[in-house]
Amino acid sequence: MKSQSAVPYKIPLHIRNGIKKILSLVHLSDMLIEVIDCRTPISGQCPLDNSYLPSYKPRIRLFNKTDLSEDLEGIEQHLLRQGLSKDNYVIGRTKLAKKASKVTATTTRTVNEILERVKSHMIGFDSETEDFKLLIVGNPNTGKSSLINAMRYVERFRLGEVDRVHKLSVRVGKKPGMTQSVTTPILFCRDPRIAILDTPGILPPSSPDALVM
């Protein structure tokens, strides 16, 4: 694993600073959730992957925005060739309806699948004394902030707290870069206690293969 000071100086300053901010939180988190746009399942993977993120840190990959992809079967075949277990990824959608009182069935299923995988990694963790921390990482505009809002909404609906889901936890928008800095932890689940950290999207300065999608 590379240290925080090992970020190459050839990387543009704003990207280098973003990487350092994220890396400063990696050791404080208990699990990583990498959000990837289904339209770019290979090149869209986080540039921190393998090079900077510790391999020992549990990670779930969410291939998001399934409504915009026409080859979900191809994605699964690629993941199978990579040797990635179905326990380590979710293919779904986290977009919310315009009204907070309407959470789509697809979003609910996606959030529940993620939560199921997170809880499987919490065996032996004492959530009564501290929060299990999830660090959300990924390229810009993959739906990281939307995922956090969806997780919060689905959990509140499950608890019957409909009156508490009218406000977004984090800002979202069509333009990339809505999240400019690492946010403070957001308590998403109280039993067990699970907190989430949103991070700004980090885009690689170049691609080794222009044909890779």
Side-chain angles (χ1 to χ4, degrees):
M1 180 184 70
K2 294 185 179 182
S3 65
Q4 294 181 28
S5 60
V7 180
Y9 284 98
K10 64 181 179 180
I11 294 179
L13 180 61
H14 68 287
I15 296 180
R16 192 162 70 238
N17 289 339
I19 291 176
K20 287 182 178 180
K21 287 180 180 179
I22 294 174
L23 290 178
S24 68
L25 291 172
V26 169
H27 72 285
L28 297 176
S29 65
D30 299 292
M31 172 176 274
L32 308 176
I33 296 183
E34 179 184 355
V35 185
I36 303 164
D37 192 320
C38 271
R39 293 170 293 180
T40 54
I42 302 174
S43 63
Q45 294 188 23
C46 181
L48 300 180
D49 189 27
N50 300 323
S51 299
Y52 300 103
L53 298 181
S55 58
Y56 63 83
K57 190 73 67 172
R59 185 185 319 180
I60 298 173
R61 289 177 172 88
L62 167 63
F63 291 86
N64 199 16
K65 303 187 178 183
T66 53
D67 55 315
L68 302 178
S69 175
E70 298 180 355
D71 190 20
L72 299 182
E73 184 178 346
I75 294 175
E76 293 210 61
Q77 290 176 354
H78 170 72
L79 298 176
L80 182 63
R81 289 194 297 269
Q82 280 191 326
L84 197 63
S85 166
K86 286 191 175 183
D87 293 333
N88 299 115
Y89 71 85
V90 172
I91 297 177
R93 181 186 180 191
T94 58
K95 185 177 181 180
L96 294 170
K98 292 183 178 180
K99 293 184 178 180
S101 58
K102 293 183 179 180
V103 180
T104 67
T106 302
T107 295
T108 300
R109 177 188 59 78
T110 300
V111 169
N112 286 336
E113 283 189 31
I114 292 173
L115 184 57
E116 179 183 338
R117 287 160 174 73
V118 169
K119 287 183 176 180
S120 70
H121 287 276
M122 292 183 65
I123 299 175
F125 183 87
D126 186 5
S127 61
E128 293 185 1
T129 59
E130 61 178 317
D131 298 340
F132 189 85
K133 301 179 185 65
L134 302 177
L135 186 65
I136 313 297
V137 299
N139 286 349
N141 209 32
T142 54
K144 298 182 297 299
S145 297
S146 294
L147 169 62
I148 293 177
N149 287 326
M151 293 175 79
R152 175 176 177 267
Y153 282 171
V154 171
E155 178 64 12
R156 290 293 180 265
F157 274 113
R158 186 183 70 82
L159 296 175
E161 299 176 352
V162 180
D163 58 324
R164 297 185 59 185
V165 298
H166 65 283
K167 186 177 180 181
L168 295 176
S169 295
V170 289
R171 293 175 62 210
V172 297
K174 293 182 180 179
K175 292 183 178 180
M178 294 298 292
T179 303
Q180 297 291 335
S181 61
V182 177
T183 64
T184 55
I186 298 169
L187 186 64
F188 132 73
C189 184
R190 295 197 296 269
D191 184 22
R193 290 181 64 87
I194 303 175
I196 310 175
L197 273 169
D198 192 17
T199 61
I202 301 296
L203 192 65
S206 61
S207 175
D209 188 346
L211 297 179
V212 173
M213 293 300 292

